[in-house]
Amino acid sequence: MSFQPPKGTDDLLAPKSQTWREVLSLWDEWSARYGFPLVMTPILESTELFQRGVGETTEVVTKQMYTFDDRGGRSVTLRPEGTAGVVRAYLNSGHQGVWKGAYSGPFFRYERPQGGRRRQFWQVGVEYLDVESPAADAEVVELGYRYLESAEIPGLELLINSLGDSECRPGYTDVLRGYLGGKKAELSEDSVDLIDVNPLRVLDSKTDQSVLVDPPRMVDHLCDACSGHFLSVKALLESLGVPFTEDHGLVRGLDYYTRTTFEYIGRRLDTAQNAVGGGGRYDGLAETLGGRPTPGVGFALGVDRIALAVDEADRTYLDAYLVSETGPEEALWVASRLRRDGVKVDFDSEGRTVKAQFRAARRVDAAITLVWKGKGEPIDVQTNTGRWDVALEEVSDWLRGQT
Ligand code: HAM
């Protein structure tokens, strides 16, 4: 049989499909716990919905949409994301006031396929509409975090930022234009074209990151209302025990965001695509689509990446990976000692570089890396939460204390 699935799409059979089944049913459980009933919208929408909603100058709209004319001559697009469709459905439904919806389904973006980046991919997500309070942001952010935590995504991290609103964003984009204007000679042509129309998009350009050193930051230009909102969201997350890191460079790739934006990262995912999800507030989107003013907040998570992370985590069969700075023979001696103490440990016997040994540690998804620096030196124990010096004879006890 010579037919292959289209580039960037996958067949999913057992045992992988079993992981998906578990990940998706866990989502049904968590989204229901937070009071989000199911919402389903068409996979095909009018092209204009995304042009207006997601933004004419975003990469998603300019380069990644599957757009075609149907047999009636209408331009339609396979949905590249879910928020615009859900907000459209809410506005069409005639429902007034607070509304919650959770979704799960396939989405399409014409991207360069690689591990964790597909042309057909699956998202689960929520949208919470007609809500203004920081408590809504915190509830939504917490749901995504708790779900990913219960799916046991290794190295889960939450990044948050604020992108301001129609009060304070214009002042900031002026400052940003000034900064980018001074770098025109070094920026790619695509970025130079964006400076006037949408300078924020330059900040997430894939090719120009090395040029964008210390750009002006939105957080330094927030108006009082936005800054108060951001402070409240952070305080609420703290009170809920949801750990986060502020990332002032987090701008997201879609134009509708205002105020809170966030991303969930799987730090130990063995792929360049380690954002397992993202979202934020989009207080102006409903009006952009011609509806009444309806603030909202939501997120979407990439199930392809979640399933990858879960499968990788399942493969972890080691307590630790040993990296040796003094060659494989000493590593063999150290590993032997640790193994007799009951530690499941592996190392590279081929004398590869320290960098290659760290790569191997990531590949086997070892939660702990032990760096051997030589006899008489303590072992440098590295985890994703910190580093410790531990004497060789105490390593096995130390590891037992971790579990
Ligand atoms: P997004 O950041 O474009 O946001 O996508 C959310 C997640 O979908 C990403 O973090 C990633 O895990 C996954 N994803 C995106 N593109 C691909 C791809 N080509 N292959 C595999 N996974 C992918 C949105 O889509 C917004 N609608 C989220 C949102 C909801 N904001 C507010 N409400």
Side-chain angles (χ1 to χ4, degrees), residues 34 36 100 126 128 131-146 158 160 229-244 260-262 264 280-281 296-299:
Y34 281 67
F36 285 87
K100 279 178 162 176
V126 293
Y128 193 5
V131 287
E132 262 173 321
S133 90
D137 305 40
E139 181 181 354
V140 162
V141 174
E142 187 200 18
L143 163 58
Y145 189 83
R146 298 282 178 234
L158 166 63
I160 69 170
H229 188 95
F230 194 35
L231 281 172
S232 302
V233 172
K234 289 187 285 184
L236 288 166
L237 289 175
E238 267 163 27
S239 76
L240 294 169
V242 175
F244 62 85
T260 316
T261 52
F262 53 96
Y264 305 100
R281 198 164 251 294
V297 58
F299 65 72

mmCIF file of all heavy atoms in Angstrom, residues 34 36 100 126 128 131-146 158 160 229-244 260-262 264 280-281 296-299:
data_model
loop_
_atom_site.group_PDB
_atom_site.id
_atom_site.type_symbol
_atom_site.label_atom_id
_atom_site.label_comp_id
_atom_site.label_asym_id
_atom_site.label_seq_id
_atom_site.Cartn_x
_atom_site.Cartn_y
_atom_site.Cartn_z
ATOM 1 N N TYR A 34 -14.407 21.889 37.281
ATOM 2 C CA TYR A 34 -14.379 23.358 37.364
ATOM 3 C C TYR A 34 -15.628 23.986 36.740
ATOM 4 O O TYR A 34 -15.674 25.189 36.505
ATOM 5 C CB TYR A 34 -13.102 23.895 36.685
ATOM 6 C CG TYR A 34 -11.878 23.770 37.571
ATOM 7 C CD1 TYR A 34 -11.361 22.521 37.900
ATOM 8 C CD2 TYR A 34 -11.245 24.901 38.086
ATOM 9 C CE1 TYR A 34 -10.247 22.393 38.704
ATOM 10 C CE2 TYR A 34 -10.124 24.780 38.906
ATOM 11 C CZ TYR A 34 -9.636 23.523 39.207
ATOM 12 O OH TYR A 34 -8.529 23.410 40.015
ATOM 13 N N PHE A 36 -17.137 23.461 33.675
ATOM 14 C CA PHE A 36 -17.159 23.793 32.246
ATOM 15 C C PHE A 36 -17.873 22.701 31.460
ATOM 16 O O PHE A 36 -17.317 21.617 31.251
ATOM 17 C CB PHE A 36 -15.728 23.938 31.697
ATOM 18 C CG PHE A 36 -15.046 25.214 32.104
ATOM 19 C CD1 PHE A 36 -14.351 25.293 33.302
ATOM 20 C CD2 PHE A 36 -15.110 26.347 31.292
ATOM 21 C CE1 PHE A 36 -13.718 26.468 33.695
ATOM 22 C CE2 PHE A 36 -14.478 27.527 31.675
ATOM 23 C CZ PHE A 36 -13.782 27.587 32.875
ATOM 24 N N LYS A 100 -19.627 29.398 30.453
ATOM 25 C CA LYS A 100 -18.419 28.570 30.422
ATOM 26 C C LYS A 100 -18.547 27.484 29.368
ATOM 27 O O LYS A 100 -19.625 26.897 29.225
ATOM 28 C CB LYS A 100 -18.235 27.872 31.773
ATOM 29 C CG LYS A 100 -17.611 28.722 32.866
ATOM 30 C CD LYS A 100 -17.520 27.931 34.176
ATOM 31 C CE LYS A 100 -16.518 28.584 35.122
ATOM 32 N NZ LYS A 100 -16.463 27.905 36.431
ATOM 33 N N VAL A 126 -10.638 25.672 27.367
ATOM 34 C CA VAL A 126 -11.857 26.267 27.926
ATOM 35 C C VAL A 126 -11.932 27.743 27.549
ATOM 36 O O VAL A 126 -10.906 28.381 27.315
ATOM 37 C CB VAL A 126 -11.906 26.197 29.475
ATOM 38 C CG1 VAL A 126 -12.024 24.766 29.960
ATOM 39 C CG2 VAL A 126 -10.717 26.894 30.118
ATOM 40 N N TYR A 128 -14.067 31.164 29.172
ATOM 41 C CA TYR A 128 -14.917 31.652 30.262
ATOM 42 C C TYR A 128 -15.290 33.077 29.867
ATOM 43 O O TYR A 128 -14.421 33.944 29.784
ATOM 44 C CB TYR A 128 -14.094 31.613 31.558
ATOM 45 C CG TYR A 128 -14.871 31.785 32.851
ATOM 46 C CD1 TYR A 128 -16.257 31.868 32.867
ATOM 47 C CD2 TYR A 128 -14.179 31.856 34.064
ATOM 48 C CE1 TYR A 128 -16.944 32.015 34.060
ATOM 49 C CE2 TYR A 128 -14.865 32.005 35.266
ATOM 50 C CZ TYR A 128 -16.240 32.081 35.253
ATOM 51 O OH TYR A 128 -16.913 32.233 36.440
ATOM 52 N N VAL A 131 -16.757 37.655 31.901
ATOM 53 C CA VAL A 131 -16.171 37.746 33.247
ATOM 54 C C VAL A 131 -15.009 38.731 33.213
ATOM 55 O O VAL A 131 -14.225 38.731 32.267
ATOM 56 C CB VAL A 131 -15.664 36.381 33.762
ATOM 57 C CG1 VAL A 131 -16.822 35.483 34.141
ATOM 58 C CG2 VAL A 131 -14.760 35.698 32.746
ATOM 59 N N GLU A 132 -14.941 39.567 34.252
ATOM 60 C CA GLU A 132 -13.909 40.592 34.284
ATOM 61 C C GLU A 132 -12.918 40.419 35.416
ATOM 62 O O GLU A 132 -11.824 40.957 35.387
ATOM 63 C CB GLU A 132 -14.591 41.952 34.493
ATOM 64 C CG GLU A 132 -14.801 42.711 33.224
ATOM 65 C CD GLU A 132 -15.616 43.968 33.454
ATOM 66 O OE1 GLU A 132 -16.572 43.938 34.261
ATOM 67 O OE2 GLU A 132 -15.276 44.978 32.837
ATOM 68 N N SER A 133 -13.336 39.681 36.441
ATOM 69 C CA SER A 133 -12.553 39.725 37.673
ATOM 70 C C SER A 133 -11.296 38.867 37.580
ATOM 71 O O SER A 133 -11.265 37.858 36.867
ATOM 72 C CB SER A 133 -13.403 39.245 38.850
ATOM 73 O OG SER A 133 -13.254 37.856 38.989
ATOM 74 N N PRO A 134 -10.263 39.265 38.317
ATOM 75 C CA PRO A 134 -9.026 38.478 38.347
ATOM 76 C C PRO A 134 -9.269 37.063 38.860
ATOM 77 O O PRO A 134 -8.513 36.150 38.530
ATOM 78 C CB PRO A 134 -8.132 39.239 39.339
ATOM 79 C CG PRO A 134 -8.720 40.594 39.460
ATOM 80 C CD PRO A 134 -10.184 40.491 39.142
ATOM 81 N N ALA A 135 -10.342 36.860 39.621
ATOM 82 C CA ALA A 135 -10.653 35.517 40.118
ATOM 83 C C ALA A 135 -10.940 34.569 38.951
ATOM 84 O O ALA A 135 -10.617 33.383 39.007
ATOM 85 C CB ALA A 135 -11.846 35.557 41.071
ATOM 86 N N ALA A 136 -11.538 35.095 37.877
ATOM 87 C CA ALA A 136 -11.816 34.249 36.705
ATOM 88 C C ALA A 136 -10.505 33.811 36.060
ATOM 89 O O ALA A 136 -10.340 32.638 35.685
ATOM 90 C CB ALA A 136 -12.687 35.005 35.704
ATOM 91 N N ASP A 137 -9.552 34.747 35.943
ATOM 92 C CA ASP A 137 -8.251 34.393 35.365
ATOM 93 C C ASP A 137 -7.603 33.289 36.203
ATOM 94 O O ASP A 137 -7.096 32.292 35.678
ATOM 95 C CB ASP A 137 -7.287 35.591 35.352
ATOM 96 C CG ASP A 137 -7.850 36.816 34.656
ATOM 97 O OD1 ASP A 137 -9.049 37.094 34.834
ATOM 98 O OD2 ASP A 137 -7.087 37.508 33.957
ATOM 99 N N ALA A 138 -7.629 33.501 37.538
ATOM 100 C CA ALA A 138 -6.946 32.558 38.433
ATOM 101 C C ALA A 138 -7.601 31.181 38.357
ATOM 102 O O ALA A 138 -6.922 30.157 38.337
ATOM 103 C CB ALA A 138 -6.952 33.084 39.863
ATOM 104 N N GLU A 139 -8.928 31.153 38.274
ATOM 105 C CA GLU A 139 -9.635 29.865 38.204
ATOM 106 C C GLU A 139 -9.233 29.103 36.935
ATOM 107 O O GLU A 139 -8.950 27.901 36.969
ATOM 108 C CB GLU A 139 -11.150 30.114 38.220
ATOM 109 C CG GLU A 139 -11.964 28.846 38.172
ATOM 110 C CD GLU A 139 -13.483 29.103 38.159
ATOM 111 O OE1 GLU A 139 -13.886 30.280 38.294
ATOM 112 O OE2 GLU A 139 -14.232 28.135 38.005
ATOM 113 N N VAL A 140 -9.198 29.831 35.828
ATOM 114 C CA VAL A 140 -8.857 29.206 34.553
ATOM 115 C C VAL A 140 -7.399 28.727 34.551
ATOM 116 O O VAL A 140 -7.104 27.591 34.165
ATOM 117 C CB VAL A 140 -9.136 30.221 33.407
ATOM 118 C CG1 VAL A 140 -8.412 29.843 32.133
ATOM 119 C CG2 VAL A 140 -10.638 30.332 33.162
ATOM 120 N N VAL A 141 -6.506 29.594 35.020
ATOM 121 C CA VAL A 141 -5.088 29.205 35.044
ATOM 122 C C VAL A 141 -4.898 27.990 35.946
ATOM 123 O O VAL A 141 -4.165 27.059 35.625
ATOM 124 C CB VAL A 141 -4.193 30.373 35.538
ATOM 125 C CG1 VAL A 141 -2.746 29.913 35.697
ATOM 126 C CG2 VAL A 141 -4.265 31.554 34.580
ATOM 127 N N GLU A 142 -5.620 27.987 37.067
ATOM 128 C CA GLU A 142 -5.473 26.865 37.996
ATOM 129 C C GLU A 142 -5.963 25.558 37.363
ATOM 130 O O GLU A 142 -5.311 24.525 37.471
ATOM 131 C CB GLU A 142 -6.243 27.102 39.307
ATOM 132 C CG GLU A 142 -5.929 26.002 40.320
ATOM 133 C CD GLU A 142 -6.930 25.811 41.442
ATOM 134 O OE1 GLU A 142 -8.080 26.274 41.314
ATOM 135 O OE2 GLU A 142 -6.559 25.177 42.446
ATOM 136 N N LEU A 143 -7.106 25.626 36.673
ATOM 137 C CA LEU A 143 -7.622 24.405 36.039
ATOM 138 C C LEU A 143 -6.574 23.765 35.121
ATOM 139 O O LEU A 143 -6.287 22.573 35.206
ATOM 140 C CB LEU A 143 -8.902 24.729 35.238
ATOM 141 C CG LEU A 143 -9.345 23.700 34.199
ATOM 142 C CD1 LEU A 143 -9.581 22.325 34.813
ATOM 143 C CD2 LEU A 143 -10.607 24.164 33.469
ATOM 144 N N GLY A 144 -5.964 24.591 34.243
ATOM 145 C CA GLY A 144 -4.951 24.046 33.324
ATOM 146 C C GLY A 144 -3.790 23.445 34.086
ATOM 147 O O GLY A 144 -3.290 22.367 33.745
ATOM 148 N N TYR A 145 -3.388 24.140 35.130
ATOM 149 C CA TYR A 145 -2.242 23.667 35.897
ATOM 150 C C TYR A 145 -2.552 22.340 36.597
ATOM 151 O O TYR A 145 -1.793 21.389 36.523
ATOM 152 C CB TYR A 145 -1.808 24.727 36.910
ATOM 153 C CG TYR A 145 -0.495 24.352 37.557
ATOM 154 C CD1 TYR A 145 0.711 24.629 36.929
ATOM 155 C CD2 TYR A 145 -0.468 23.680 38.778
ATOM 156 C CE1 TYR A 145 1.922 24.250 37.494
ATOM 157 C CE2 TYR A 145 0.737 23.301 39.352
ATOM 158 C CZ TYR A 145 1.928 23.592 38.705
ATOM 159 O OH TYR A 145 3.115 23.210 39.266
ATOM 160 N N ARG A 146 -3.708 22.293 37.270
ATOM 161 C CA ARG A 146 -4.063 21.063 38.008
ATOM 162 C C ARG A 146 -4.236 19.874 37.074
ATOM 163 O O ARG A 146 -3.864 18.751 37.390
ATOM 164 C CB ARG A 146 -5.359 21.269 38.796
ATOM 165 C CG ARG A 146 -5.280 22.342 39.856
ATOM 166 C CD ARG A 146 -4.558 21.886 41.110
ATOM 167 N NE ARG A 146 -4.485 22.971 42.074
ATOM 168 C CZ ARG A 146 -3.359 23.404 42.643
ATOM 169 N NH1 ARG A 146 -2.200 22.815 42.368
ATOM 170 N NH2 ARG A 146 -3.363 24.397 43.487
ATOM 171 N N LEU A 158 4.690 27.040 34.854
ATOM 172 C CA LEU A 158 3.692 28.009 34.401
ATOM 173 C C LEU A 158 4.362 29.370 34.285
ATOM 174 O O LEU A 158 4.990 29.844 35.226
ATOM 175 C CB LEU A 158 2.555 28.046 35.437
ATOM 176 C CG LEU A 158 1.570 29.194 35.371
ATOM 177 C CD1 LEU A 158 0.800 29.174 34.060
ATOM 178 C CD2 LEU A 158 0.592 29.097 36.554
ATOM 179 N N ILE A 160 3.707 33.476 33.375
ATOM 180 C CA ILE A 160 2.625 34.434 33.162
ATOM 181 C C ILE A 160 3.162 35.837 32.893
ATOM 182 O O ILE A 160 4.282 36.188 33.249
ATOM 183 C CB ILE A 160 1.583 34.470 34.316
ATOM 184 C CG1 ILE A 160 2.171 35.068 35.576
ATOM 185 C CG2 ILE A 160 1.042 33.097 34.626
ATOM 186 C CD1 ILE A 160 1.074 35.321 36.606
ATOM 187 N N HIS A 229 -4.980 44.547 38.188
ATOM 188 C CA HIS A 229 -5.519 43.244 37.787
ATOM 189 C C HIS A 229 -4.431 42.173 37.845
ATOM 190 O O HIS A 229 -4.626 41.080 38.399
ATOM 191 C CB HIS A 229 -6.076 43.355 36.357
ATOM 192 C CG HIS A 229 -6.825 42.139 35.898
ATOM 193 N ND1 HIS A 229 -8.187 42.024 35.997
ATOM 194 C CD2 HIS A 229 -6.386 40.986 35.346
ATOM 195 C CE1 HIS A 229 -8.562 40.839 35.526
ATOM 196 N NE2 HIS A 229 -7.474 40.193 35.125
ATOM 197 N N PHE A 230 -3.274 42.508 37.307
ATOM 198 C CA PHE A 230 -2.154 41.554 37.261
ATOM 199 C C PHE A 230 -1.721 41.171 38.679
ATOM 200 O O PHE A 230 -1.525 39.991 38.985
ATOM 201 C CB PHE A 230 -0.995 42.183 36.476
ATOM 202 C CG PHE A 230 0.081 41.212 36.080
ATOM 203 C CD1 PHE A 230 -0.205 39.897 35.739
ATOM 204 C CD2 PHE A 230 1.413 41.627 36.020
ATOM 205 C CE1 PHE A 230 0.801 39.013 35.361
ATOM 206 C CE2 PHE A 230 2.422 40.744 35.639
ATOM 207 C CZ PHE A 230 2.123 39.441 35.308
ATOM 208 N N LEU A 231 -1.623 42.197 39.559
ATOM 209 C CA LEU A 231 -1.234 41.914 40.952
ATOM 210 C C LEU A 231 -2.227 40.967 41.612
ATOM 211 O O LEU A 231 -1.846 40.033 42.317
ATOM 212 C CB LEU A 231 -1.173 43.221 41.760
ATOM 213 C CG LEU A 231 0.088 44.075 41.569
ATOM 214 C CD1 LEU A 231 -0.076 45.423 42.276
ATOM 215 C CD2 LEU A 231 1.316 43.332 42.112
ATOM 216 N N SER A 232 -3.517 41.205 41.364
ATOM 217 C CA SER A 232 -4.539 40.340 41.978
ATOM 218 C C SER A 232 -4.441 38.912 41.464
ATOM 219 O O SER A 232 -4.558 37.959 42.233
ATOM 220 C CB SER A 232 -5.947 40.843 41.684
ATOM 221 O OG SER A 232 -6.092 42.139 42.153
ATOM 222 N N VAL A 233 -4.241 38.761 40.144
ATOM 223 C CA VAL A 233 -4.150 37.406 39.589
ATOM 224 C C VAL A 233 -2.989 36.664 40.250
ATOM 225 O O VAL A 233 -3.118 35.510 40.679
ATOM 226 C CB VAL A 233 -3.962 37.430 38.048
ATOM 227 C CG1 VAL A 233 -3.685 36.030 37.505
ATOM 228 C CG2 VAL A 233 -5.189 38.026 37.369
ATOM 229 N N LYS A 234 -1.861 37.367 40.386
ATOM 230 C CA LYS A 234 -0.691 36.710 40.977
ATOM 231 C C LYS A 234 -0.939 36.349 42.437
ATOM 232 O O LYS A 234 -0.592 35.248 42.883
ATOM 233 C CB LYS A 234 0.539 37.612 40.838
ATOM 234 C CG LYS A 234 1.022 37.709 39.399
ATOM 235 C CD LYS A 234 2.330 38.467 39.279
ATOM 236 C CE LYS A 234 2.096 39.957 39.453
ATOM 237 N NZ LYS A 234 3.309 40.747 39.264
ATOM 238 N N ALA A 235 -1.586 37.266 43.166
ATOM 239 C CA ALA A 235 -1.859 36.985 44.587
ATOM 240 C C ALA A 235 -2.807 35.797 44.720
ATOM 241 O O ALA A 235 -2.637 34.935 45.588
ATOM 242 C CB ALA A 235 -2.445 38.225 45.257
ATOM 243 N N LEU A 236 -3.805 35.726 43.830
ATOM 244 C CA LEU A 236 -4.755 34.607 43.903
ATOM 245 C C LEU A 236 -4.065 33.280 43.590
ATOM 246 O O LEU A 236 -4.310 32.274 44.262
ATOM 247 C CB LEU A 236 -5.918 34.844 42.927
ATOM 248 C CG LEU A 236 -6.886 35.944 43.361
ATOM 249 C CD1 LEU A 236 -7.788 36.365 42.214
ATOM 250 C CD2 LEU A 236 -7.714 35.473 44.558
ATOM 251 N N LEU A 237 -3.203 33.280 42.590
ATOM 252 C CA LEU A 237 -2.493 32.037 42.258
ATOM 253 C C LEU A 237 -1.641 31.601 43.441
ATOM 254 O O LEU A 237 -1.581 30.410 43.776
ATOM 255 C CB LEU A 237 -1.627 32.218 41.011
ATOM 256 C CG LEU A 237 -2.402 32.350 39.700
ATOM 257 C CD1 LEU A 237 -1.462 32.663 38.529
ATOM 258 C CD2 LEU A 237 -3.191 31.071 39.400
ATOM 259 N N GLU A 238 -1.012 32.577 44.083
ATOM 260 C CA GLU A 238 -0.208 32.232 45.264
ATOM 261 C C GLU A 238 -1.083 31.620 46.343
ATOM 262 O O GLU A 238 -0.731 30.614 46.960
ATOM 263 C CB GLU A 238 0.511 33.469 45.800
ATOM 264 C CG GLU A 238 1.907 33.588 45.209
ATOM 265 C CD GLU A 238 2.517 34.968 45.368
ATOM 266 O OE1 GLU A 238 2.152 35.682 46.332
ATOM 267 O OE2 GLU A 238 3.356 35.332 44.524
ATOM 268 N N SER A 239 -2.265 32.224 46.544
ATOM 269 C CA SER A 239 -3.131 31.709 47.613
ATOM 270 C C SER A 239 -3.643 30.302 47.283
ATOM 271 O O SER A 239 -3.973 29.531 48.169
ATOM 272 C CB SER A 239 -4.300 32.665 47.871
ATOM 273 O OG SER A 239 -5.252 32.530 46.838
ATOM 274 N N LEU A 240 -3.707 29.980 45.985
ATOM 275 C CA LEU A 240 -4.157 28.633 45.590
ATOM 276 C C LEU A 240 -3.008 27.631 45.567
ATOM 277 O O LEU A 240 -3.220 26.442 45.311
ATOM 278 C CB LEU A 240 -4.785 28.684 44.182
ATOM 279 C CG LEU A 240 -6.087 29.471 44.035
ATOM 280 C CD1 LEU A 240 -6.434 29.647 42.563
ATOM 281 C CD2 LEU A 240 -7.224 28.770 44.773
ATOM 282 N N GLY A 241 -1.804 28.125 45.775
ATOM 283 C CA GLY A 241 -0.650 27.224 45.744
ATOM 284 C C GLY A 241 -0.296 26.790 44.331
ATOM 285 O O GLY A 241 0.198 25.686 44.117
ATOM 286 N N VAL A 242 -0.562 27.647 43.351
ATOM 287 C CA VAL A 242 -0.165 27.345 41.969
ATOM 288 C C VAL A 242 1.148 28.085 41.687
ATOM 289 O O VAL A 242 1.157 29.310 41.623
ATOM 290 C CB VAL A 242 -1.253 27.796 40.961
ATOM 291 C CG1 VAL A 242 -0.778 27.589 39.528
ATOM 292 C CG2 VAL A 242 -2.556 27.053 41.211
ATOM 293 N N PRO A 243 2.252 27.359 41.536
ATOM 294 C CA PRO A 243 3.531 28.040 41.329
ATOM 295 C C PRO A 243 3.635 28.613 39.916
ATOM 296 O O PRO A 243 3.166 28.000 38.956
ATOM 297 C CB PRO A 243 4.563 26.918 41.525
ATOM 298 C CG PRO A 243 3.837 25.651 41.278
ATOM 299 C CD PRO A 243 2.383 25.894 41.547
ATOM 300 N N PHE A 244 4.214 29.815 39.804
ATOM 301 C CA PHE A 244 4.368 30.415 38.472
ATOM 302 C C PHE A 244 5.632 31.249 38.426
ATOM 303 O O PHE A 244 6.195 31.606 39.461
ATOM 304 C CB PHE A 244 3.150 31.292 38.136
ATOM 305 C CG PHE A 244 2.975 32.445 39.094
ATOM 306 C CD1 PHE A 244 3.652 33.643 38.908
ATOM 307 C CD2 PHE A 244 2.137 32.314 40.203
ATOM 308 C CE1 PHE A 244 3.500 34.692 39.800
ATOM 309 C CE2 PHE A 244 1.980 33.363 41.105
ATOM 310 C CZ PHE A 244 2.667 34.555 40.903
ATOM 311 N N THR A 260 -3.893 39.451 31.200
ATOM 312 C CA THR A 260 -3.190 38.218 31.559
ATOM 313 C C THR A 260 -2.907 37.314 30.356
ATOM 314 O O THR A 260 -3.817 37.008 29.574
ATOM 315 C CB THR A 260 -4.071 37.395 32.535
ATOM 316 O OG1 THR A 260 -4.613 38.280 33.505
ATOM 317 C CG2 THR A 260 -3.254 36.310 33.206
ATOM 318 N N THR A 261 -1.656 36.880 30.215
ATOM 319 C CA THR A 261 -1.328 35.814 29.262
ATOM 320 C C THR A 261 -0.488 34.789 30.007
ATOM 321 O O THR A 261 0.205 35.130 30.958
ATOM 322 C CB THR A 261 -0.507 36.332 28.061
ATOM 323 O OG1 THR A 261 0.614 37.055 28.556
ATOM 324 C CG2 THR A 261 -1.325 37.205 27.158
ATOM 325 N N PHE A 262 -0.579 33.552 29.570
ATOM 326 C CA PHE A 262 0.183 32.515 30.282
ATOM 327 C C PHE A 262 0.495 31.343 29.361
ATOM 328 O O PHE A 262 -0.144 31.153 28.318
ATOM 329 C CB PHE A 262 -0.582 32.040 31.529
ATOM 330 C CG PHE A 262 -1.993 31.600 31.260
ATOM 331 C CD1 PHE A 262 -2.296 30.261 31.057
ATOM 332 C CD2 PHE A 262 -3.021 32.531 31.198
ATOM 333 C CE1 PHE A 262 -3.600 29.845 30.809
ATOM 334 C CE2 PHE A 262 -4.337 32.124 30.944
ATOM 335 C CZ PHE A 262 -4.621 30.784 30.750
ATOM 336 N N TYR A 264 1.933 27.067 29.687
ATOM 337 C CA TYR A 264 2.384 25.912 30.464
ATOM 338 C C TYR A 264 3.505 25.244 29.674
ATOM 339 O O TYR A 264 3.322 24.942 28.490
ATOM 340 C CB TYR A 264 1.252 24.902 30.655
ATOM 341 C CG TYR A 264 0.003 25.484 31.272
ATOM 342 C CD1 TYR A 264 -1.087 25.824 30.477
ATOM 343 C CD2 TYR A 264 -0.089 25.701 32.649
ATOM 344 C CE1 TYR A 264 -2.246 26.349 31.032
ATOM 345 C CE2 TYR A 264 -1.239 26.227 33.221
ATOM 346 C CZ TYR A 264 -2.315 26.550 32.400
ATOM 347 O OH TYR A 264 -3.451 27.069 32.952
ATOM 348 N N GLY A 280 -5.005 33.131 27.812
ATOM 349 C CA GLY A 280 -5.009 34.478 28.351
ATOM 350 C C GLY A 280 -6.384 35.101 28.243
ATOM 351 O O GLY A 280 -7.369 34.458 27.863
ATOM 352 N N ARG A 281 -6.405 36.391 28.578
ATOM 353 C CA ARG A 281 -7.616 37.178 28.541
ATOM 354 C C ARG A 281 -7.756 37.806 27.165
ATOM 355 O O ARG A 281 -6.751 38.084 26.500
ATOM 356 C CB ARG A 281 -7.470 38.254 29.623
ATOM 357 C CG ARG A 281 -8.711 38.897 30.052
ATOM 358 C CD ARG A 281 -8.548 39.649 31.359
ATOM 359 N NE ARG A 281 -9.259 38.943 32.406
ATOM 360 C CZ ARG A 281 -10.580 38.801 32.452
ATOM 361 N NH1 ARG A 281 -11.354 39.329 31.511
ATOM 362 N NH2 ARG A 281 -11.150 38.144 33.436
ATOM 363 N N GLY A 296 -13.374 38.037 28.325
ATOM 364 C CA GLY A 296 -13.266 36.583 28.498
ATOM 365 C C GLY A 296 -11.840 36.155 28.750
ATOM 366 O O GLY A 296 -10.895 36.930 28.556
ATOM 367 N N VAL A 297 -11.731 34.915 29.199
ATOM 368 C CA VAL A 297 -10.399 34.357 29.452
ATOM 369 C C VAL A 297 -10.462 32.850 29.195
ATOM 370 O O VAL A 297 -11.509 32.223 29.409
ATOM 371 C CB VAL A 297 -9.931 34.686 30.899
ATOM 372 C CG1 VAL A 297 -10.894 34.164 31.950
ATOM 373 C CG2 VAL A 297 -8.522 34.166 31.185
ATOM 374 N N GLY A 298 -9.363 32.282 28.689
ATOM 375 C CA GLY A 298 -9.368 30.847 28.403
ATOM 376 C C GLY A 298 -7.981 30.349 28.067
ATOM 377 O O GLY A 298 -7.007 31.104 28.110
ATOM 378 N N PHE A 299 -7.913 29.077 27.742
ATOM 379 C CA PHE A 299 -6.630 28.506 27.301
ATOM 380 C C PHE A 299 -6.897 27.305 26.422
ATOM 381 O O PHE A 299 -8.022 26.804 26.355
ATOM 382 C CB PHE A 299 -5.756 28.081 28.494
ATOM 383 C CG PHE A 299 -6.340 26.955 29.325
ATOM 384 C CD1 PHE A 299 -6.392 25.643 28.847
ATOM 385 C CD2 PHE A 299 -6.837 27.214 30.596
ATOM 386 C CE1 PHE A 299 -6.924 24.617 29.620
ATOM 387 C CE2 PHE A 299 -7.376 26.192 31.375
ATOM 388 C CZ PHE A 299 -7.425 24.889 30.881
#
